[in-house]
Amino acid sequence: MREAISVPYFGASLKEWLFTTDHKKIGILYLSTAYIFFLVAGFFGLIIRFEQTSPGIQLVQPDFYNYLLTGHGAVLLLWWAIASHIGGFGNFLLPLMIGAKDVAFPRLNALSWWAFFGASVLVLLTLIPGNHIKMMWTGYPPYSASGDAGVTALYVFIIHLVGVSSIATAVNFITTYIKMRAPGINFWNTNMFVHCLIAANVIQLVGVPSLAGAVTMLLLDKYLGTNFYNPAKGGDPLLYQNVFWFYSHPVVYVQILPVFGFFSEIVPTFARRPLFGYKSMIFAVWGITLLSFEVWIHHMFVSGVPDWARVIMSYTTILIAVPTGIKIFNWIGTLHGGAIILRSPMLYALGGIFMFLIGGLTGIPNAMVAIDLGISDSLFIVGHFHYVLGMALTLGLFGAIIYWFPKMTGKMYPENLGKVSFWLTFIGANLFYFFQMVVGMLGNPRRYPDYPPIPEWVTLHNIQTVGALILGLGVLVFTIGILKGLFAGEKAPDNPWQSQSLEWQIPSPAPVDNFGEEHPKVEPDYHPYKYGAPPVF
């Protein structure tokens, strides 16, 4: 037993990794899997972009194009945008930030990982010709119930397994926070990442069953002949859309709330100032959580829903911009008067906040029915959500990887590669998605592999492809940085950023038993953002 404890958690054998119940190992397993799938889905995205560079069919047939779109969307949303920061960073950081030895139910945590792994295997099966799923990540009937949509059962089982993993994780994390905090850690001195993580898991707990129900009825319609969504036999396809979006709009906040947590950890550390408006930030996070279930119909403004429903959801959609704006104001307030240090995690955090701001501002018109009717299903929508979710989230995650790299590996991420990858990613993403919104405003619809040879459209698509190549190069440099840091990185000190947060008060990499047998001693005036003096790094 003593020998096992003396082995650093990341130096364990393959068997120990596969059968582990250690929250840190499980977090890294989630993060590694999500990153590999992110690279594959990004490659799918590059093929989609190359196909659209010029009018006409260039590289792939429309049927395969549908598969690429489905895989790109589903994998980025479910693997990269949820599993990486909830399964990955949530597992690694939650016990460390609250002074706990592990999560409340370690074996349930391992089961969550294996359910997620099972879903990952099913995704790999869709790569086999004949197993392609082609109904987009939304799986709308009646198309998804037809033979042209591919193997709908695989889509449904993937959702089921990811759902099992998500619910088990949510139960575990919420219980861990309520029951396992170290004495002295309370609601008002908890890290913002933990607040955001718990709020996201409350959404998961309430919302995932509705998605599971929606796709289960889809499975029954296609394979057992029921008629939940078949209008020819009394069913209603809009029933699916309502149940689907009841969860799938709040899931936007499941994906972005933990990233807000990353920003809130990184910005005070590198501005050397307490997080401005900490308590208002907590109220904002829980306000978003509550309102997130009151806006789903804005995804269905063109679906023939009643006017009164469109008006109500238009108001609630605009209302949710208020707590969102509070957070951006607070991050800027934290920077004001700070001794700002532009290390690569800070660059990624500031870049992510900028991308979210652009995505948020371009989202407000979508909340207005009169405008949304004109731009719905255009590439403007695609550019908008790649700003607000795709790149704000990715920049936040990249910053988080560099920031906590020392605590996970005991090595430093190469700073020069961090800065180069940031500028490439930031410039490439803005070239790509800004002009994608412009071509959408000019009327280019989404989801089609081909478009008419309109000169303005062709020029704008060419610019997007240049942006995508620069963005892809940025991701490649970032990945090289991970490998270089792992195998040849400089040894990390215990607290390289001189953070006040609990996870930085233990050795790097984190010991197998975190804080030892006892809870850490938390001083009465402890706060994770109690900054003042400039750092020496």
Side-chain angles (χ1 to χ4, degrees):
M1 185 63 181
R2 296 299 302 169
E3 289 182 2
I5 290 175
S6 69
V7 176
Y9 75 91
F10 62 90
S13 67
L14 177 63
K15 181 180 177 183
E16 288 171 307
W17 275 98
L18 292 179
F19 296 99
T20 185
T21 57
D22 181 351
H23 70 96
K24 298 183 292 296
K25 290 196 188 86
I26 290 174
I28 290 178
L29 287 172
Y30 267 111
L31 195 54
S32 305
T33 307
Y35 196 80
I36 292 170
F37 276 71
F38 163 72
L39 294 178
V40 173
F43 181 67
F44 281 13
L46 273 179
I47 298 175
I48 293 167
R49 177 88 304 274
F50 290 148
E51 176 57 49
Q52 289 208 315
T53 302
S54 303
I57 299 301
Q58 318 293 320
L59 298 173
V60 295
Q61 294 302 308
D63 205 41
F64 190 63
Y65 184 87
N66 278 348
Y67 169 65
L68 293 175
L69 272 182
T70 303
H72 177 76
V75 168
L76 283 182
L77 288 170
L78 297 177
W79 267 253
W80 182 235
I82 295 180
S84 56
H85 51 51
I86 291 187
F89 282 102
N91 261 301
F92 192 89
L93 291 175
L94 173 62
L96 296 180
M97 284 181 165
I98 64 171
K101 190 174 181 180
D102 205 325
V103 293
F105 309 113
R107 291 182 180 177
L108 180 64
N109 203 23
L111 177 65
S112 304
W113 150 252
W114 281 106
F116 173 72
F117 180 79
S120 304
V121 171
L122 292 185
V123 169
L124 293 177
L125 290 179
T126 69
L127 293 169
I128 300 172
N131 281 350
H132 293 168
I133 51 177
K134 297 169 283 189
M135 71 283 283
M136 306 295 116
W137 77 276
T138 50
Y140 276 3
Y143 179 73
S144 56
S146 72
D148 294 335
V151 189
T152 304
L154 273 177
Y155 171 80
V156 173
F157 293 147
I158 289 169
I159 298 291
H160 281 168
L161 284 173
V162 170
V164 167
S165 174
S166 298
I167 290 176
T169 298
V171 170
N172 217 340
F173 283 5
I174 293 169
T175 308
T176 300
Y177 180 68
I178 293 173
K179 302 295 291 185
M180 298 184 68
R181 297 191 310 275
I185 299 292
N186 57 55
F187 193 77
W188 300 113
N189 65 5
T190 295
N191 292 71
M192 278 309 305
F193 173 73
V194 174
H195 278 296
C196 294
L197 181 72
I198 298 303
N201 279 282
V202 168
I203 295 174
Q204 290 283 74
L205 207 54
V206 175
V208 166
S210 72
L211 176 64
V215 298
T216 300
M217 289 189 284
L218 183 63
L219 184 77
L220 296 175
D221 270 12
K222 180 155 184 176
Y223 298 102
L224 295 182
T226 57
N227 299 295
F228 292 107
Y229 307 130
N230 185 353
K233 296 184 179 179
D236 185 355
L238 287 185
L239 171 63
Y240 178 88
Q241 291 193 32
N242 274 290
V243 180
F244 177 86
W245 286 114
F246 177 76
Y247 166 71
S248 295
H249 185 79
V251 80
V252 168
Y253 302 102
V254 172
Q255 294 160 350
I256 201 66
L257 279 175
V259 178
F260 293 163
F262 296 151
F263 297 156
S264 302
E265 302 298 327
I266 294 172
V267 170
T269 301
F270 290 94
R272 310 312 295 176
R273 288 204 67 217
L275 182 63
F276 181 82
Y278 169 78
K279 290 187 177 179
S280 66
M281 191 82 98
I282 295 173
F283 286 117
V285 166
W286 287 101
I288 290 172
T289 303
L290 183 64
L291 284 171
S292 68
F293 286 101
E294 308 298 332
V295 298
W296 80 90
I297 281 181
H298 74 226
H299 292 276
M300 302 169 57
F301 282 164
V302 296
S303 300
V305 293
D307 286 342
W308 62 266
R310 296 200 294 194
V311 170
I312 291 174
M313 293 289 179
S314 178
Y315 276 110
T316 53
T317 302
I318 293 173
L319 184 62
I320 206 169
V322 175
T324 306
I326 288 173
K327 293 192 308 305
I328 293 177
F329 180 80
N330 287 355
W331 292 320
I332 295 172
T334 305
L335 293 171
H336 179 68
I340 299 170
I341 303 156
L342 292 177
R343 294 290 293 260
S344 51
M346 184 64 155
L347 286 175
Y348 272 109
L350 296 177
I353 292 170
F354 173 83
M355 300 299 275
F356 185 79
L357 178 64
I358 300 299
L361 292 175
T362 54
I364 292 173
N366 296 331
M368 302 173 189
V369 178
I371 297 177
D372 186 76
L373 293 179
I375 58 177
S376 184
D377 284 332
S378 75
L379 282 177
F380 178 87
I381 303 296
V382 181
H384 154 70
F385 70 68
H386 275 85
Y387 261 101
V388 76
L389 266 188
M391 293 318 302
L393 187 145
T394 297
L395 292 180
L397 273 165
F398 279 10
I401 289 172
I402 298 176
Y403 184 71
W404 281 287
F405 198 81
K407 194 54 61 182
M408 290 183 174
T409 67
K411 306 281 187 66
M412 296 298 291
Y413 185 96
E415 177 66 11
N416 55 346
L417 292 181
K419 287 183 175 176
V420 170
S421 66
F422 166 75
W423 286 112
L424 288 170
T425 306
F426 185 74
I427 293 169
N430 278 286
L431 267 180
F432 186 172
Y433 300 117
F434 179 79
F435 290 101
Q436 190 168 51
M437 289 194 293
V438 174
V439 77
M441 290 291 287
L442 294 177
N444 197 154
R446 63 193 286 196
R447 295 183 178 137
Y448 291 95
D450 194 9
Y451 55 89
I454 301 171
E456 292 85 354
W457 290 18
V458 176
T459 302
L460 290 168
H461 276 289
N462 286 333
I463 295 172
Q464 290 175 59
T465 301
V466 171
L469 286 170
I470 298 172
L471 170 59
L473 185 59
V475 173
L476 177 63
V477 172
F478 183 82
T479 306
I480 292 171
I482 292 177
L483 297 175
K484 185 176 179 184
L486 279 175
F487 296 108
E490 177 189 348
K491 187 177 186 308
D494 292 346
N495 189 359
W497 316 125
Q498 298 180 29
S499 168
Q500 304 299 309
S501 185
L502 274 186
E503 80 273 20
W504 294 106
Q505 312 312 316
I506 56 175
S508 295
V512 67
D513 52 356
N514 295 352
F515 300 91
E517 294 300 319
E518 304 294 332
H519 282 300
K521 183 180 179 183
V522 178
E523 299 296 335
D525 62 344
Y526 166 79
H527 201 283
Y529 311 118
K530 198 171 73 173
Y531 292 107
V536 294
F537 59 81

